[in-house]
Amino acid sequence: MKKDNVVQIKSYAFAVRIVNVYKYLLEEKKEYVLSKQLLRCGTSIGANIEEAIGGQTEKDFFAKLTISYKEARETHYWIRFLKDTSYLSNEEAQSLLIDIEELLRIIGSIQKTLRNS
């Protein structure tokens, strides 16, 4: 992993956090369905960033980046939903929301730069 690839580093760290939240929801809250949705989309962000980095063309890169953005939007939804249904506390959710909103801004900024080039 390159030291200076911020989106790659942050999306990977976020995926690790999501796995830990998933384990918490399973073990502590006995929640098996909604947590799986969060796990799927929350870890998909970084996986698609990795695919984008390995893309063969700029078009391929942009397509995978767009998928990452959509997965991040879905993750944002599930975090809010888990908070509003009391599976996550306000504090737990807020910390995750700060991270996912940062990823959304970074990915969105990269998309905008690519569109304008």
Side-chain angles (χ1 to χ4, degrees), residues 52 55-66 114:
Q56 295 179 344
T57 65
E58 189 172 297
K59 186 177 178 181
D60 189 24
F61 178 82
F62 188 81
K64 290 297 180 185
L65 199 65
T66 298
L114 288 172

Side-chain angles (χ1 to χ4, degrees), residues 35-58:
S35 57
K36 191 72 139 190
Q37 292 291 328
L38 179 67
L39 178 69
R40 186 194 60 74
C41 59
T43 56
S44 179
I45 300 163
N48 280 290
I49 294 290
E50 288 291 331
E51 282 192 60
I53 292 167
Q56 295 179 344
T57 65
E58 189 172 297

Side-chain angles (χ1 to χ4, degrees), residues 8-72:
Q8 184 182 28
I9 293 165
K10 288 185 180 286
S11 62
Y12 183 87
F14 185 76
V16 171
R17 285 194 73 196
I18 289 297
V19 169
N20 289 326
V21 170
Y22 173 73
K23 290 191 285 190
Y24 163 77
L25 289 168
L26 287 180
E27 295 167 8
E28 301 295 323
K29 299 291 188 170
K30 306 299 183 214
E31 200 304 304
Y32 304 100
V33 178
L34 303 175
S35 57
K36 191 72 139 190
Q37 292 291 328
L38 179 67
L39 178 69
R40 186 194 60 74
C41 59
T43 56
S44 179
I45 300 163
N48 280 290
I49 294 290
E50 288 291 331
E51 282 192 60
I53 292 167
Q56 295 179 344
T57 65
E58 189 172 297
K59 186 177 178 181
D60 189 24
F61 178 82
F62 188 81
K64 290 297 180 185
L65 199 65
T66 298
I67 293 169
S68 286
Y69 186 84
K70 290 163 69 174
E71 294 291 343

Side-chain angles (χ1 to χ4, degrees), residues 44-109:
S44 179
I45 300 163
N48 280 290
I49 294 290
E50 288 291 331
E51 282 192 60
I53 292 167
Q56 295 179 344
T57 65
E58 189 172 297
K59 186 177 178 181
D60 189 24
F61 178 82
F62 188 81
K64 290 297 180 185
L65 199 65
T66 298
I67 293 169
S68 286
Y69 186 84
K70 290 163 69 174
E71 294 291 343
R73 293 286 342 152
E74 183 180 349
T75 302
H76 192 271
Y77 170 85
W78 287 116
I79 294 167
R80 291 186 346 263
F81 190 80
L82 287 162
K83 177 184 71 85
D84 291 343
T85 55
S86 300
Y87 283 107
L88 292 176
S89 71
N90 286 335
E91 296 79 24
E92 292 163 335
Q94 191 57 37
S95 175
L96 291 166
L97 287 169
I98 289 168
D99 284 355
I100 195 62
E101 287 166 3
E102 181 182 24
L103 278 170
L104 283 164
R105 282 191 302 276
I106 293 168
I107 296 167
S109 177

